[in-house]
Amino acid sequence: MIELQGLTKRYGDTRVVDDISLTVEQGEFCVLIGPSGCGKSTTLKMINRLIAHSEGRILVGGEDVTTLPPELLRRRIGYAIQSTGLFPHWRVAENIATVPRLLKWSTSRINARVDELLALFQLDADDLRDKYPHQLSGGQAQRVGVARALAADPDVLLMDEPFGAVDPLTRDALQVELARVHRQTGKTIVFVTHDMDEALRLASRVALLNGGRLVQYDRPAELLVDPANDFVRDFIGRADLGLKLLSRRRVEQYYQPAQGTRDATITQAATTHARPTWQVDADNRPLALIGGRLEEPATVRTDVNGEWTATPDMSMKEALSRMVWFRVTALPVLDDQGRLLGEVTMAGVMGHRP
Amino acid sequence: MTSPAVSTVGAGRVLANRVLVTLLIAGLAAAWLLPFASMSPNRLASGQSVALGGALTMWQAAGMLVLTVMLGLAALQRPLSRRLAHGVTLTASLALLLITLYALGDYAQRTLVERSPSARVSQGAAFWVIVFCCALAAIDTLQRHASGWITRLGYAALAGGAVAFLLASGHFRDLSIMREYANIRDTFSDQLLTHLGLVGAALGPALAIGVPLGLLAHRRARVRGTLFSVLNVFQTIPSIALFALLVAPLSALGNAFPFLAELGIKGIGAAPAIIALVMYALLPVVRNTYSGLKGVPPATVEAARGMGMTQRQVLWRVEIPLALPVMLSGLRIVTVQAIGLTVVAALIGAGGLGAFIFQGLGQYAIDLVLLGAIPTIVLAVIADFMLQMLVALSQPAGTR
């Protein structure tokens, strides 16, 4: 979908982007990452020609980007930036309608599209349509910013550190949402960040840049287990490599069948603490864990509450964190009705090769 | 015998509005120490002072006393609530202003009946101080209360209307300044229109040249330094010098090309005045256009370009709407400045209200000077007020 061929940007004698070649396939989520000044933002902005490239070629959908006037090219490519860049004098609906209006869509088509996008980002259209950007929370503004980028249904979406200026909690929610929107729309996304956790969480491919050069372009797991050199290893962070890997894994890849019993009188786990027993109610909802505590007898009973359970789409990093925090060796994995699907255990965390 | 409660709290707790207290003290001191009016046997002789007490009738004095006490109460922390105090201040200061104006006209009517026709009554220092203090008290209260534009407009219209009514009713006809006005009535409206015409003729070109230059300064960093230094030089030339400097080249031009002279391009008159006014107006227009555009967040402009707006669309849809309040503030500065500077243009024969001022200075006729000065001030205040409203209205809805 996007092809960079020997892409170079020079300012005088300095090459801020130096001979980068890579291909982003249709539907891919490509994250450009690297330390400050590595040329990741410049690379991104050369794709929609906000910055002119010095050498090389850029193909979007097989077409050289220089064949179109830059404005027409940009209307076909979504663009979202840090601190949203929302137009402060336009209402939310007008902001989202920016590109459709430039493309002279009919009013009814624009209105329908605005509603559709607000719904996609789970924003309340009646409440937000007529608000001005300064009346939005940081998270809402950022969602509107991404919705605006998607307004004319572009095949390609460029995002320049879009979540750089929001608090960690909001950023977390936005990442989850962007991943969902990406799954739902199948857009090709190029996303710039300097945050490795964000990259690992979102990317289907990571391009690691340093000093204007492409150091490694790989799937996140390959980047983690097979780093090209010490720079990559350092940049990922050697210390919590294992945790980073687990942050890429989801509970559904790890959980195993659990032993449930409806026997309310049970006092001792059937087996050792490595395989505890779950007491469940008539609907198969877990009530208590029998055993499953380190250095405690297998008879100890721990009531299940919402805080130390797992869901299939939870990251394994979070599941492990909960096990450590609540000092249990197993978490019940629940479906959306709260029924016991299985369990993840401390031993199970190690059970997979990365 | 002060009560202990009062003596223990500081002055800040007793006084709620120090500005009002200061104005009251100034007004009272002026009323006590300075002449309210002066009476002279003819137009040019210096007059004999009349104190406020001597000029007022009983009910006027009583009314002024009551209003002063009301203002005094409004300045205190108790017994009035803040909201009530604001209302009292606005009402009482306007009423006090009107009574003062009325009293002066009334005094002139009463005294001149028994004098010779050439005798004159004119306003004294205490009159000016009281009028000034009343106006300041009202303006300060409006700003303190952060009153909305509707309130301000309504209040200004009420005050202006009342004063205009007093003027139109002929109540001031016996005042020296109004007798002077009667002498020049025919030329007054002409000069007023000339004055406004000069200001308008200067503002048009100033905007037409200044806004594009401001845009240029924003777009081209290299031009900016030179441009601002040149415009700064204009601003530092004293206005009389600039008017004078333009006389020689323009008269040469007019002599060389007679058709230009017919169009009004000659050494004296409107042409050099307008050119000088434009030159003075350029710096504020260019500077405010530039800083208005510079104040548009770069992220907003980048987003606009990234969305696929052309440079023209970015300018008209994003940059100008967001820069407009700052640009209009520039227009406000320039308009007020041009109204003032046009006074000086009378020196090179351009006419305008300045003509009365210089004529009056030449004849040592202070009333004639005031006939030029007061309308100039009123024009400037009205223009300032209207442009302030325009600035407020131009705030983009989302950033108000």
Side-chain angles (χ1 to χ4, degrees):
Chain A
M1 193 68 201
I2 301 173
E3 217 180 322
L4 312 183
Q5 300 174 345
L7 190 63
T8 299
K9 176 67 189 178
R10 271 175 321 200
Y11 287 112
D13 287 337
T14 30
R15 289 164 166 259
V16 289
V17 173
D18 191 1
D19 193 24
I20 288 185
S21 298
L22 59 83
T23 306
V24 184
E25 299 295 343
Q26 167 97 45
E28 197 99 59
F29 197 127
C30 168
V31 171
L32 303 178
I33 191 170
S36 301
C38 70
K40 52 192 192 293
S41 265
T42 310
T43 305
L44 185 85
K45 287 176 189 174
M46 283 192 285
I47 298 177
N48 66 359
R49 291 178 64 194
L50 280 174
I51 295 176
H53 56 277
S54 313
E55 283 164 34
R57 258 154 56 96
I58 304 168
L59 305 179
V60 173
E63 238 179 297
D64 193 311
V65 292
T66 54
T67 55
L68 272 176
E71 287 82 25
L72 297 187
L73 172 79
R74 290 177 200 144
R75 287 171 200 175
R76 289 175 22 178
I77 299 178
Y79 187 55
I81 59 175
Q82 184 173 0
S83 72
T84 78
L86 290 179
F87 304 126
H89 56 310
W90 287 357
R91 295 163 201 278
V92 165
E94 294 168 299
N95 261 292
I96 294 178
T98 305
V99 183
R101 284 205 327 220
L102 290 173
L103 295 172
K104 305 203 162 56
W105 286 13
S106 70
T107 317
S108 55
R109 187 175 170 206
I110 290 178
N111 287 340
R113 182 63 181 157
V114 168
D115 287 340
E116 189 184 342
L117 282 164
L118 287 172
L120 177 66
F121 284 89
Q122 294 165 355
L123 294 167
D124 180 2
D126 294 332
D127 180 32
L128 290 180
R129 276 184 80 96
D130 293 329
K131 279 198 172 159
Y132 285 100
H134 75 107
Q135 296 169 303
L136 305 178
S137 70
Q140 286 173 332
Q142 208 52 258
R143 287 178 179 91
V144 172
V146 181
R148 180 176 70 171
L150 287 171
D153 205 14
D155 296 326
V156 174
L157 187 56
L158 306 181
M159 308 182 84
D160 192 359
E161 299 204 34
F163 308 146
V166 293
D167 63 88
L169 259 168
T170 311
R171 181 188 310 196
D172 219 55
L174 286 168
Q175 286 167 350
V176 170
E177 214 150 305
L178 182 62
R180 175 178 60 76
V181 169
H182 178 238
R183 275 198 305 275
Q184 280 179 18
T185 58
K187 302 283 181 203
T188 310
I189 297 179
V190 182
F191 184 105
V192 165
T193 182
H194 59 261
D195 175 356
M196 199 55 177
D197 289 317
E198 186 166 75
L200 293 175
R201 185 156 189 189
L202 292 170
S204 62
R205 271 182 190 275
V206 178
L208 183 56
L209 277 64
N210 188 29
R213 303 195 67 101
L214 182 62
V215 183
Q216 189 168 2
Y217 183 47
D218 250 324
R219 302 203 165 279
E222 288 156 355
L223 200 70
L224 290 170
V225 299
D226 191 14
N229 56 28
D230 277 351
F231 171 77
V232 181
R233 224 167 277 133
D234 284 340
F235 194 79
I236 298 169
R238 293 163 196 262
D240 56 357
L241 212 56
L243 286 178
K244 288 230 161 70
L245 252 177
L246 285 179
S247 75
R248 287 285 303 175
R249 301 276 190 248
R250 296 202 289 169
V251 167
E252 64 191 356
Q253 297 167 292
Y254 278 76
Y255 76 85
Q256 43 205 329
Q259 293 182 41
T261 171
R262 288 189 199 163
D263 182 359
T265 59
I266 183 166
T267 52
Q268 179 155 11
T271 49
T272 61
H273 64 248
R275 294 303 312 275
T277 300
W278 300 92
Q279 191 187 53
V280 295
D281 67 8
D283 291 327
N284 203 27
R285 291 193 181 83
L287 298 171
L289 169 66
I290 313 297
R293 307 292 294 256
L294 279 179
E295 293 160 11
E296 300 268 3
T299 54
V300 70
R301 175 191 156 97
T302 316
D303 284 334
V304 170
N305 66 35
E307 287 173 40
W308 59 279
T309 57
T311 51
D313 58 355
M314 184 181 279
S315 81
M316 274 308 290
K317 185 177 163 185
E318 189 174 346
L320 179 66
S321 168
R322 287 181 182 212
M323 282 190 255
V324 171
W325 185 250
F326 290 99
R327 301 184 61 77
V328 290
T329 59
L331 292 184
V333 179
L334 308 181
D335 65 10
D336 42 15
Q337 251 98 62
R339 290 186 297 247
L340 188 65
L341 286 173
E343 65 186 7
V344 276
T345 60
M346 204 60 116
V349 172
M350 322 287 277
H352 280 250
R353 253 189 49 78
Chain B
M1 305 294 119
T2 50
S3 74
V6 171
S7 59
T8 49
V9 290
R13 299 297 307 272
V14 179
L15 304 180
N17 187 341
R18 284 160 194 248
V19 176
L20 189 53
V21 172
T22 314
L23 291 173
L24 272 172
I25 292 172
L28 286 171
W32 186 259
L33 298 170
L34 299 172
F36 178 69
S38 81
M39 166 79 122
S40 56
N42 60 53
R43 179 173 177 240
L44 298 178
S46 61
Q48 121 203 32
S49 301
V50 181
L52 184 63
L56 299 182
T57 62
M58 187 63 89
W59 74 263
Q60 287 164 357
M64 284 177 90
L65 199 64
V66 169
L67 290 170
T68 310
V69 170
M70 280 168 71
L71 286 173
L73 283 179
L76 298 181
Q77 192 75 37
R78 272 168 295 180
L80 301 182
S81 72
R82 281 305 84 214
R83 219 184 138 69
L84 190 58
H86 281 296
V88 167
T89 313
L90 286 180
T91 321
S93 53
L94 179 56
L96 191 56
L97 176 83
L98 293 175
I99 286 197
T100 310
L101 289 173
Y102 181 85
L104 184 70
D106 190 48
Y107 171 71
Q109 286 182 26
R110 276 183 285 122
T111 36
L112 289 188
V113 174
E114 59 230 39
R115 304 270 170 151
S116 79
S118 63
R120 298 256 181 157
V121 170
S122 39
Q123 54 291 336
F127 168 82
W128 291 119
V129 173
I130 294 172
V131 167
F132 187 67
C133 288
C134 289
L136 275 187
I139 291 169
D140 172 67
T141 306
L142 284 173
Q143 274 171 358
R144 224 170 249 268
H145 206 47
S147 317
W149 285 102
I150 307 289
T151 320
R152 291 185 189 204
L153 192 62
Y155 189 77
L158 189 69
V163 173
F165 174 76
L166 275 179
L167 264 177
S169 70
H171 178 74
F172 297 123
R173 66 182 176 275
D174 289 319
L175 271 183
S176 174
I177 186 168
M178 291 311 282
R179 292 202 173 166
E180 199 70 55
Y181 171 72
N183 293 339
I184 58 158
R185 179 175 304 172
D186 298 335
T187 45
F188 183 82
S189 51
D190 286 350
Q191 297 291 39
L192 180 64
L193 287 178
T194 309
H195 200 102
L196 289 174
L198 285 172
V199 171
L203 288 182
L207 289 179
I209 302 169
V211 171
L213 279 181
L215 188 61
L216 188 72
H218 176 61
R219 294 262 167 88
R220 302 257 182 284
R222 239 179 278 168
V223 183
R224 195 180 307 146
T226 331
L227 186 64
F228 281 122
S229 5
V230 171
L231 294 176
N232 264 318
V233 170
F234 290 163
Q235 210 73 11
T236 49
I237 304 176
S239 50
I240 295 192
L242 185 54
F243 285 122
L245 278 177
L246 286 167
V247 170
L250 283 172
S251 71
L253 208 61
N255 290 338
F257 304 100
F259 71 94
L260 281 180
E262 269 171 46
L263 289 174
I265 313 272
K266 49 193 182 206
I268 55 166
I274 291 171
I275 293 175
L277 289 174
V278 169
M279 285 164 89
Y280 280 118
L282 277 181
L283 180 66
V285 171
V286 174
R287 195 181 40 206
N288 278 54
T289 306
Y290 166 70
S291 41
L293 291 172
K294 198 172 150 239
V296 177
T300 309
V301 175
E302 193 199 309
R305 291 182 61 218
M307 301 274 112
M309 288 193 197
T310 60
Q311 201 173 32
R312 182 178 298 238
Q313 285 167 332
V314 174
L315 180 68
W316 285 105
R317 298 189 186 188
V318 178
E319 290 183 300
I320 299 259
L322 292 177
L324 199 58
V326 182
M327 292 168 69
L328 284 175
S329 313
L331 178 63
R332 181 183 150 211
I333 296 169
V334 161
T335 309
V336 172
Q337 173 188 285
I339 290 174
L341 278 177
T342 303
V343 167
V344 185
L347 279 182
I348 52 165
L353 294 167
F356 299 129
I357 297 182
F358 293 112
Q359 221 174 308
L361 285 174
Q363 302 173 4
Y364 196 64
I366 295 305
D367 290 323
L368 196 52
V369 174
L370 288 177
L371 275 180
I374 294 174
T376 309
I377 295 170
V378 171
L379 276 185
V381 169
I382 293 176
D384 186 61
F385 183 74
M386 292 195 333
L387 280 161
Q388 265 192 51
M389 288 220 305
L390 209 58
V391 170
L393 288 178
S394 71
Q395 294 286 349
T399 56
R400 233 181 251 169

